[in-house]
Amino acid sequence: MDFLAPLKIAEKNSGVSTGITALPAHGELIQSHSPVDGKLIATVQAADKNDYEAVIVKAQSAFLEWRTWPAPKRGEVVRQIGEALRAHKEPLGKLVSYEMGKSLQEGYGEVQEMIDICDFAVGLSRQLYGLSMHSERPAHRMYEQWHPLGIVGIISAFNFPVAVWSWNSMLAWICGNVCIWKPSEKTPLCAVACQNIISEVFKRNNVPDGVSGLVTGGRAVGEWLSADTRVPLLSATGSTRMGKAVGATVGARLGRALLELGGNNAIIISEHADLDIAIRGSVFGAVGTAGQRCTTTRRLIIHSTVYDSIKTKLVAAYQQLSIGNPLDENNHVGPLIDKDAVVGYQKALEACKKEGGRFIVEGGVLDGDGFESGCYVKPCIAEVEPHFNIVQQETFAPILYLMKYNTIDEAIAIQNGVPQGLSSSIMTLNLREAEQFLSASGSDCGIANVNIGTSGAEIGGAFGGEKETGGGRESGSDAWKAYMRRQTNTINYSTQLPLAQGIKFHV
Ligand code: UN1
């Protein structure tokens, strides 16, 4: 593969590193097979408990130095990482596409998202502002400042194998933290490639070795990070089931968890919608990344007066979709990540039919030429009732559920009537209903859009959601505050010791 060499991916790779140095690894051997063609890309040796310890110890000592670097100087290192990512955008985007299975355009888009967060973090490195307050006591000054936490653990998912790590690590670094990354064991080569790219930058800048730890592995590594009191913050992206386990373990030790979990995102299509925008937004939202984004559009809540016309247009649009090798830019939809995901998709189709769902675009697994990996499935559409069990769940596959509404209040209630709360949209040109959707009595999600689909958020906003989505916020706005500890400082420069609240105390 032409894109492996510039990323320094060998046939056998260590999945353990301290940022500059790849350490010998002693855990299981992970074979990374591409869902695109089923071929073995390369192997990665995972971390065992001793390897994990070595990375933690190195991270602890690196933190002692890294936290003393001025934040803008740390930002300068992140600026150079952004430059290195620009230089590697093509091979890294291709690797993302080949190892994970998303379309090449989306692979490039993911690397672009990394570059964008680098730029954002560079600016932020000069803006880690605290407030200053007026003290109630004379000749006293009161202010707050933000300090780094220490080791930030990052558990990332297969579906955004590089971008979500960078949202966390770039912010964590400019804040003065060191990071330890457990990538998905389904996409370990993307992680090795990122380590290889940044290690050059770190070396050039004399960054202490240990600032960017990598501990590849499965569930056990996640459990070590969750239980480890040396890891004050653990940021985890993945299923709600995983998040509940991580949240419970981190909570039991009173650590901080930043959780970005499942979504069950809906678009409300009003009778006042621009139907062309509504269709395009819905189709990209539902089939982009083969339905494997946490922001994927899973439900369309359609006004009864436009329901039939939307249905006809959707069926026509789905007929135009070409499914196949995602590295071929003529294809819209690539494979699911693996055969387990295909089984999950099939089970969801069965469950939907059993509950009375009617498929207007049939699903199915593709076989034959070009589909040898067994991971390609047909994007499909079912008419359902909002309360169906299967409609309440997140299935990581391109299955779109249609349902009808009559009043905007009813549409919002359906939209909110699921356990998850990540992303949501309304398609409407009507100002009143748009504002109602965005109001406190509107969408209960972390992201609420108007005339835009549910996926494809920009890095500048805080990203995350409510309810079973976990409540964390990553990426833009003031999400950086989650990676720091706040300290309130009061300084007395008077010759007295007045007490707050006017308390008198004489000895
Ligand atoms: C995810 O699926 O975990 O908003 C992240 C989006 C992307 C990020 C998705 N920017 O769809």
Side-chain angles (χ1 to χ4, degrees), residues 113 159-160 164 167 237 260 293-295 455-457 463:
E113 208 164 321
N159 65 332
F160 273 79
V164 173
W167 293 352
T237 304
E260 206 265 275
R293 291 193 189 208
C294 53
T295 52
S455 65
F463 184 90

Side-chain angles (χ1 to χ4, degrees), residues 36 171 194 250 267 301 432 457 486:
V36 173
L171 291 197
C194 288
V250 174
I267 299 180
I301 306 164
R432 286 187 182 143
R486 186 197 313 241

